Amino acid sequence: MIGRLTDRVLSWIDASLAAFGHGFILAWTRVERSYRRPFAQVALRLKFAFYPLLALGAIVWLAWDWSHTRSLNSAEDAIFDRVVQWRPFEPQPSGRVVVVEIDECSIEYFRARNEGGWPWSRQRHADLLDRLDRAEVRAVGYDVLFTDSSQSDPVGDQALEAMAAGGGGRFVFGSTRLHPDYDEGSPVRASQAPAAFALQAHPRNDPQVALLLPYGEAMARFSAIANVTRSEDGVLRDIPLRETVGDWALPSLPLRLATTATARSPADLAAMVRPNWRRDTRLPRISAADLLTGGKPVCRDATTIPPILKNRVALVGYTASGLNDAKPTPVDPVMPGVEVMAEATEALIAGSAIRAPPAWLKYVIAMLLTALTTFAFYRGEPATDIDSVFVAANVTMLTAAFVGLTFFGFFFDIFASIGFVGLIFGLCRLYAGIQRGRAVGNGDFLPEFVPEQDRWLAIARLRFVPDVHLGEKAAARRRREYRRRLRRFLYAGSDAVMLEGVVERKSWLHEALDDLMVLIWHGESAGAARAAAMHDLARLERQLAEYDARLSDDGSVRLAFACAEIDDGNDDSDRGERRRLRDLVGQVVAASTESPLARRAAFFDRTDVSSGGS
């Protein structure tokens, strides 16, 4: 009883889904025809001119975008953020740069001892520098602004200034580049800025520049710009290494640290660096409280080994969340500013910066791929082959991009280019689908065949027979070239409907049937159907002969032909029509009599067509 009830329910569900599916397809077909048939008329007029027009429009847009908004380049920035997070693994830091954190633990440690919270006294900062100096660090970048002297700690001010003077340039303090609107009233010239260097052999332009420098003379002399500029979307990907003012350049904190640690000239380094941003393998770090207490494990686990400081470059800065020094980066929306500076310094010292091709290359790639894609469709290449080549090329380039970023620190930024070309490919594929839909007689693109109106059908079987002297590979290439030309002829618009793809391309039957192409014409009379066939076959012969490399040099196109009346008006059902149509198609496909396409008149001169073929 339960089993029969279950069967009834399942049967009802199946019937309901079948009815719904049938009704939906009928309704949706009407929707598709409402726009596909007009598109087919447009395709019939444009023919293959659509593809060069599309390529021209795409290239013009790329040129305009490069000279204006560069949206393709901006899209690449957003894609970089994903790629750098999706790469299989992150490179390990070199260990040559260490972050000294003024974190919540360090601040709370001294507050709990009634030694003051934040801000720290200048004496404590001087003590921290002293600890780093005793640890024999190579250089220290202090990412804390000391713009004014302390009224409550003058001794600490002197101690901090003495540490800067005694360091002889090993301790670099942060300064700020003010907005250019304030340059006019500044007493400092660009050439007088700390560590400024000329950008050309004989600098002449030496304008005023507004800087917010540390209060002490030695601290100001050994300072560098610590503020950075974000991208248009607010994410910090590339860090500027210098500020250009006239013919002079003002170094950033990472640049001055790198030149101090490596003795390289600042002019030898690029104006901007993109660190190899890491989310999981962060730079070595130590809490300031652990240093100030002589290495005691105040803020770290007692089993954790602190990083080595000897001959390292240390970046000191606050990471406590309440001090508001967070900057959005590709791997962390709230990365502390000192860690940003440390990553830039690591990129310079360890040579781990992410390299990328020039921005114009992605536009050139997009233009070339657009031209190649549209040219392939313009030639009438089979869509399945173009799909395979397109997918293989994209997979290869995407793999190269991930491998380059993961293993070599090179970001091959072609993702936006591939996305743009994917859009062009989709438009070409859509247009080719319209062309093919019309060529195969798809009802969404052409009115359906009505036997009562077009009683007669003419059918031709075409195949290319290569010369016997050709090798197997050469013959296969010539067959492929013939099919491409024939397809291009039919896609451009004709009175014929083609039967293509009788078997699947990968089927074991494909080799036996892939050389056949069946074309069908219809008409109200035998003469009309034959005339339409004669007209198209004559055009086809002319088109095949127009190419420089003529197919007749390496083979010949063979033709089998038949014509028959499909609807004789004597059968009210469609069985007679279908049977006669199948017989006609089978007769042509199996015909043993062939004639070269150039001698097709031998078929058209025959008049006995009443039996369904000739």
Side-chain angles (χ1 to χ4, degrees):
M1 179 66 180
I2 297 178
R4 288 196 297 270
L5 179 60
T6 302
D7 291 341
R8 290 179 181 177
V9 172
L10 292 177
S11 176
W12 178 83
I13 293 175
D14 288 341
S16 300
L17 289 176
F20 172 77
H22 180 69
F24 173 79
I25 292 300
L26 290 178
W28 183 247
T29 297
R30 287 192 290 270
V31 174
E32 288 184 322
R33 289 177 180 175
S34 66
Y35 67 86
R36 283 183 170 179
R37 287 184 180 179
F39 284 171
Q41 293 301 316
V42 173
L44 185 61
R45 287 164 174 78
L46 282 179
K47 301 186 186 310
F48 280 82
F50 170 82
Y51 300 109
L53 290 175
L54 177 62
L56 179 62
I59 291 174
V60 168
W61 183 88
L62 287 170
W64 181 89
D65 185 61
W66 169 256
S67 60
H68 290 77
T69 59
R70 297 197 180 183
S71 57
L72 197 67
N73 198 45
S74 299
E76 200 66 67
D77 288 339
I79 295 171
F80 169 80
D81 298 348
R82 295 301 176 197
V83 175
V84 79
Q85 296 178 35
W86 290 347
R87 57 185 172 178
F89 57 85
E90 298 174 337
Q92 294 292 330
S94 66
R96 298 168 64 180
V97 176
V98 179
V99 177
V100 179
E101 300 180 283
I102 304 176
D103 52 6
E104 289 92 341
C105 176
S106 298
I107 296 175
E108 185 59 32
Y109 173 77
F110 291 103
R111 179 184 291 115
R113 296 168 59 88
N114 294 321
E115 296 180 12
W118 186 262
W120 281 355
S121 66
R122 299 293 167 80
Q123 184 62 56
R124 187 168 298 152
H125 287 292
D127 292 342
L128 183 57
L129 271 180
D130 181 63
R131 291 291 185 178
L132 291 170
D133 186 36
R134 293 175 184 273
E136 301 181 37
V137 294
R138 181 178 295 273
V140 176
Y142 224 97
D143 189 22
V144 177
L145 294 178
F146 300 106
T147 56
D148 299 314
S149 57
S150 174
Q151 300 296 325
S152 60
D153 189 16
V155 176
D157 278 344
Q158 296 175 7
L160 193 57
E161 171 69 7
M163 290 296 303
R170 291 171 51 236
F171 306 145
V172 182
F173 297 85
S175 63
T176 300
R177 166 73 165 103
L178 299 179
H179 194 276
D181 290 346
Y182 297 98
D183 288 348
E184 186 176 352
S186 175
V188 179
R189 294 283 177 179
S191 60
Q192 300 169 342
F197 58 95
L199 294 176
Q200 55 187 23
H202 303 288
R204 295 181 178 179
N205 188 9
D206 188 14
Q208 298 167 290
V209 57
L211 295 173
L212 193 60
L213 299 174
Y215 66 89
E217 179 183 349
M219 295 169 65
R221 186 166 69 253
F222 301 124
S223 66
I225 298 174
N227 51 325
V228 293
T229 304
R230 304 177 185 178
S231 302
E232 292 183 359
D233 58 358
V235 179
L236 186 63
R237 300 179 186 90
D238 301 289
I239 299 178
L241 296 179
R242 65 195 187 200
E243 175 81 17
T244 301
V245 181
D247 294 338
W248 295 85
L250 283 59
S252 67
L253 186 61
L255 178 60
R256 188 157 189 186
L257 284 174
T259 55
T260 301
T262 61
R264 296 177 61 184
S265 171
D268 295 338
L269 299 174
M272 192 168 293
V273 66
R274 175 168 291 191
N276 205 329
W277 298 105
R278 285 172 279 254
R279 178 175 53 185
D280 301 320
T281 56
R282 301 171 69 186
L283 297 173
R285 60 195 58 235
I286 186 173
S287 291
D290 291 344
L291 281 174
L292 289 168
T293 56
K296 296 180 180 180
V298 174
C299 295
R300 73 174 191 276
D301 188 88
T303 60
T304 302
I305 301 176
I308 299 174
L309 295 175
K310 185 177 181 179
N311 292 325
R312 302 300 194 261
V313 174
L315 270 296
V316 181
Y318 34 81
T319 61
S321 58
L323 299 184
N324 194 25
D325 189 35
K327 294 177 173 59
T329 65
V331 295
D332 187 353
V334 287
M335 180 175 285
V338 64
E339 191 169 351
V340 171
M341 294 294 176
E343 286 285 5
T345 307
E346 164 82 1
L348 295 175
I349 294 178
S352 62
I354 293 178
R355 295 167 292 127
W360 55 262
L361 181 62
K362 65 173 67 66
Y363 285 84
V364 172
I365 290 176
M367 290 181 181
L368 290 177
L369 292 180
T370 295
L372 290 174
T373 299
T374 52
F375 181 67
F377 280 96
Y378 176 79
R379 279 175 50 84
E381 296 291 350
T384 53
D385 290 359
I386 301 178
D387 289 350
S388 301
V389 173
F390 184 78
V391 171
N394 286 349
V395 169
T396 300
M397 289 192 292
L398 293 177
T399 302
F402 273 95
V403 170
L405 181 60
T406 302
F407 297 99
F408 304 103
F410 188 89
F411 180 57
F412 188 36
D413 52 348
I414 40 76
F415 294 88
S417 300
I418 292 177
F420 179 80
V421 176
L423 173 62
I424 301 300
F425 179 85
L427 294 175
C428 290
R429 198 74 165 79
L430 175 64
Y431 188 80
I434 295 173
Q435 289 181 306
R436 186 181 188 280
R438 191 182 189 283
V440 301
N442 189 315
D444 289 337
F445 301 95
L446 287 176
E448 290 84 352
F449 169 67
V450 181
E452 293 83 358
Q453 298 176 2
D454 298 307
R455 294 174 175 270
W456 288 79
L457 292 183
I459 299 184
R461 185 197 73 197
L462 296 171
R463 70 187 186 99
F464 178 75
V465 181
D467 286 346
V468 294
H469 72 273
L470 292 178
E472 182 178 354
K473 292 184 178 179
R477 286 196 298 269
R478 297 311 292 167
R479 287 194 190 96
R480 189 178 188 281
E481 176 66 10
Y482 157 72
R483 287 194 296 268
R484 182 189 69 79
R485 296 182 185 182
L486 178 58
R487 185 185 303 105
R488 197 175 190 278
F489 168 79
L490 295 170
Y491 280 14
S494 70
D495 293 327
V497 169
M498 69 176 185
L499 299 183
E500 186 182 33
V502 179
V503 294
E504 289 290 337
R505 184 181 178 190
K506 300 296 184 180
S507 168
W508 57 277
L509 281 173
H510 185 260
E511 291 297 328
L513 297 174
D514 73 329
D515 61 340
L516 300 181
M517 173 68 80
V518 178
L519 304 181
I520 304 176
W521 295 264
H522 57 81
E524 295 181 357
S525 63
R530 284 175 173 271
M534 187 69 174
H535 177 260
D536 275 343
L537 292 174
R539 289 197 307 116
L540 175 62
E541 182 191 10
R542 289 194 301 270
Q543 179 165 319
L544 293 176
E546 285 177 356
Y547 290 86
D548 294 334
R550 296 181 60 182
L551 286 168
S552 57
D553 294 341
D554 295 318
S556 62
V557 180
R558 302 294 179 85
L559 168 69
F561 183 84
C563 183
E565 186 177 22
I566 299 303
D567 184 8
D568 57 6
N570 296 327
D571 192 344
D572 294 335
S573 69
D574 63 349
R575 290 186 177 180
E577 300 163 2
R578 293 189 177 187
R579 183 171 60 250
R580 282 189 287 271
L581 177 57
R582 287 194 291 264
D583 290 344
L584 180 59
V585 173
Q587 175 188 348
V588 175
V589 172
S592 58
T593 303
E594 291 181 319
S595 175
L597 180 61
R599 300 176 183 176
R600 60 191 174 277
F603 288 111
F604 291 96
D605 289 341
R606 301 178 185 179
T607 57
D608 182 14
V609 295
S610 59
S611 62
S614 61

